[in-house]
Amino acid sequence: MSRIRDAAPGGPKYAGEVTDEAPVGSTIGDVSPRRTPVRVPASRYISTEWAQLEAERLWPHVWQLACTLDHVREPGDWFEYTCGPLSVLIVRGDDSGLRAFQNVCLHRGNELCSGSGTGMDEIRCVYHRWCWGLDGRLREVPSRKGFGVLKNDEYMLNAVQVDTWGPLVFVNLDLSAEPLADFLAPVVNETAWLRTEEYAARAIITIPLPCNWKTGIDAFSETYHVQGIHRQMIPSTDDVNGPQQVWERHGRLGQPYGIPSPRLRDGATDQEIWESFVATQGERVGQPGREDPGPVPERRAGESVRALLARLIREQGASAGIDLGAFDDAQITDLHQYNCFPNISPVFLVESLAVVRTRPGGTPDDCLLDLFFLQRVAPGAPRSAPVDVTMDAETADVGTVFNQDIVNLQRAQRGLHQPGFTHLTLSREEMRIENLHRNLERYLGIEPSDITGG
Ligand code: FES
Ligand SMILES: [Fe+2]
């Protein structure tokens, strides 16, 4: 194995890499080389006061990923999304309209529904059996006369904004918030080539973790840690020069695979690239869980390992009835990761989509890590309800790379409490974490000068 060194400046560049020019639409997140690091107060990750500010000024006002369309595809399908104390009920109506409501009975405040299900034809509170239609209109009040005049129009369930991006359903409790498409811009247009509507949800795996929700999503906002936590990826991953971009709220990374990291002084042999790729994402080339992947498969004349990987992924897709013919080799081989404010990272491969989401837990030191797993299916293929499970961090097995992140996140929070650690120090490579904080400041009404750096 080659030795790892720090990347030399001026390594290989890729189309679309942002270097000196400000990205289109960017007002913050300067990506030019820094004179000093950005320093973020550690208290943002551990203090109850900060968490309280988020609870008041962020979560009730921001668009949040709630579930997938496959959770609420048929009339009567419903799904409860929770974020801390907030609970939103998403319902597919008899008229096929998608609606969302605050999950509270307007009689005495009982929670209306818990979990998810199908076949709902009314929303009935179990406490005293007040009942609403799936459109949120009050339908029935037992012993109604006892209330005197009680107007149905004044007892509509509290509406919540709901909208979709490809297969993903978002909600926003703030009815005055901008439309989802405006909030997500330009990510929706950026990803249109992926034909996002073809991804079908298979599962959401929820894992409670002892870390702040930002600690969690930060680990999916930079590739600086690949050389620390995911070293087996190094021979098959350029973890240094993948193009990053930050927009006003969101960011992206293009992660090239099938080439070695420039951190490897002597590069990597074709065999090392192959072994690294199979060890970390062998299922993409029909080699899931292989300890010994064997020699590099036979190649066509002049075919690089990277081109071979693209061909094998294409063949895998074809054998599953998925047409990847419209995509070029780089689109097929590489990872297309987005970071959408505040708490999700959709990670696109052409054949699958994983969405990482972190939600606040009961204390600043707790969160829920949710992993959405989706797979591309042929247009018109039948869809089935996803499987949603909660696993504990010790036993969850969600693939080699995610497993490594989960193990690390269990130790990522405790150090933040040490009195000598006052600030996180961010490099240019960690610009997507900085962007999260710049946007948090806006929502929370914190002076931008609280983050230093230049
Ligand atoms: S609290 Fe729901 S009907 Fe009374
Ligand atoms: Fe990671």
Side-chain angles (χ1 to χ4, degrees), residues 275-288:
E275 288 177 5
S276 166
F277 190 88
V278 171
T280 50
Q281 39 190 335
E283 67 284 352
R284 301 190 66 199
V285 290
Q287 308 268 348

Side-chain angles (χ1 to χ4, degrees), residues 24 88 115 140 176 182 204 229 255 263 291 328 353 363 367 377 389 392 439:
V24 175
V88 175
E140 189 185 325
S176 67
D182 293 349
I204 303 177
I229 301 298
Q255 177 75 80
R263 295 183 192 279
E291 289 279 313
D328 65 29
L353 164 63
T363 78
C367 77
V377 295
V389 292
D392 57 54
N439 280 283

Side-chain angles (χ1 to χ4, degrees), residues 219 225 230 405:
H225 74 274
H230 312 300
D405 288 315

Side-chain angles (χ1 to χ4, degrees), residues 13 18 33 41 91 109 120 149 227 235-236 280 311-312 336 374 433:
K13 297 285 188 288
V18 174
V91 183
M120 179 185 264
V149 178
Q227 32 103 33
S236 62
T280 50
R311 177 163 62 82
L312 293 177
H336 317 282
L374 300 91
I433 299 176

